[in-house]
Each structure stands twice: as C-alpha cells, then as structure tokens.
Amino acid sequence: MRRLEFASLQVRDLEASKAFYTQKLGFKLSEMENPEAVIFSFKKGEASFAIRKPLESLEHKETGAGVSVWFAIDEKIEDLRARFKENGVPVLGSVMNTPFGKALHVKDPDGYKLTFLEMTNG
C-alpha cells in the first residue's frame, strides 16, 4: 500500500452531514453524482473524500469512535478556527503543535474527529 486513494465515512443522515460539511466546514461538492453518497471535490494527486449512507445498519453503533481523518489546509489554522467557531462547528480544544505542523480538531455530527493541519515547511 503506497497511498490512500479514497476515503468515505458512513453517516446516519446524509443530508444533515452534507449541510455540515459544505455550509459549516466549507467543503466543495464534486461534479460526480451518487445517490448513496456525497463526494467532495479534489485535485489530481490528492485523496478524494466522501460521506455516504451506511453500508449496514448503524443502529446502536457508535460511528466516530477511534476514527480521525486529517486534511492539509492552505490557510492559517487560526483563521480556520475562527471561521469554524463562527459557523458553530464543535471545535475540540485549541490549536496544537504537532511534528507535522499546527493542527485543529473538530467533531462532525456522527462523532468523527476531523483534523485540519497547517503543515510546516520542510
């Protein structure tokens, strides 16, 4: 395995999660259509990402436990944090310094932990 090509998270309410990812986080929709999923736009060479209807029942299951998905960003992490707070996104703690750069954690409606990373140069 050399590279993650595609990732999708199973969500309980596709429309509510679509609104969260697009309106609150600012993800852009792909032109690809799938009635079972919402696919977000990506550039060549970047991993593509989607949310989707469950492949099996999620009733009585905890969806976000143990999962963390990291996204590299092109803006200042402090600006992103301020925008997320204004949009009512559940921000988990403050900006952290990691070996990879500055990171910020948020939680989506299904409990998935999303990490946004302002990478350090070098």
Side-chain angles (χ1 to χ4, degrees):
M1 312 303 159
R2 300 177 329 172
R3 180 180 81 192
L4 175 65
E5 191 67 31
F6 184 80
S8 68
L9 299 177
Q10 296 180 56
V11 298
R12 295 180 192 283
D13 183 332
L14 189 60
E15 287 304 312
S17 290
K18 176 183 176 182
F20 176 82
Y21 278 85
T22 57
Q23 297 169 15
K24 293 188 178 279
L25 297 181
F27 281 53
K28 304 291 183 220
L29 296 175
S30 168
E31 293 180 8
M32 290 186 263
E33 293 186 26
N34 180 336
E36 301 296 311
V38 173
I39 304 164
F40 300 104
S41 65
F42 58 97
K43 298 175 189 170
K44 186 175 181 179
E46 296 179 355
S48 54
F49 175 71
I51 52 175
R52 64 164 296 116
K53 291 180 181 177
L55 296 169
E56 60 185 60
S57 174
L58 297 179
E59 190 173 348
H60 306 297
K61 294 182 181 175
E62 189 175 2
T63 53
V67 176
S68 179
V69 182
W70 290 54
F71 297 95
I73 61 171
D74 293 325
E75 63 186 293
K76 294 289 183 195
I77 197 86
E78 291 83 2
D79 295 342
L80 185 65
R81 183 179 191 280
R83 190 169 76 244
F84 284 170
K85 292 291 262 185
E86 287 175 11
N87 289 344
V89 174
V91 174
L92 307 174
S94 57
V95 172
M96 300 174 17
N97 288 314
T98 74
F100 312 108
K102 293 180 180 181
L104 175 67
H105 305 293
V106 304
K107 193 174 270 196
D108 88 345
D110 287 279
Y112 292 108
K113 186 174 165 185
L114 309 173
T115 302
F116 295 89
L117 178 68
E118 178 186 337
M119 297 179 68
T120 54
N121 295 333

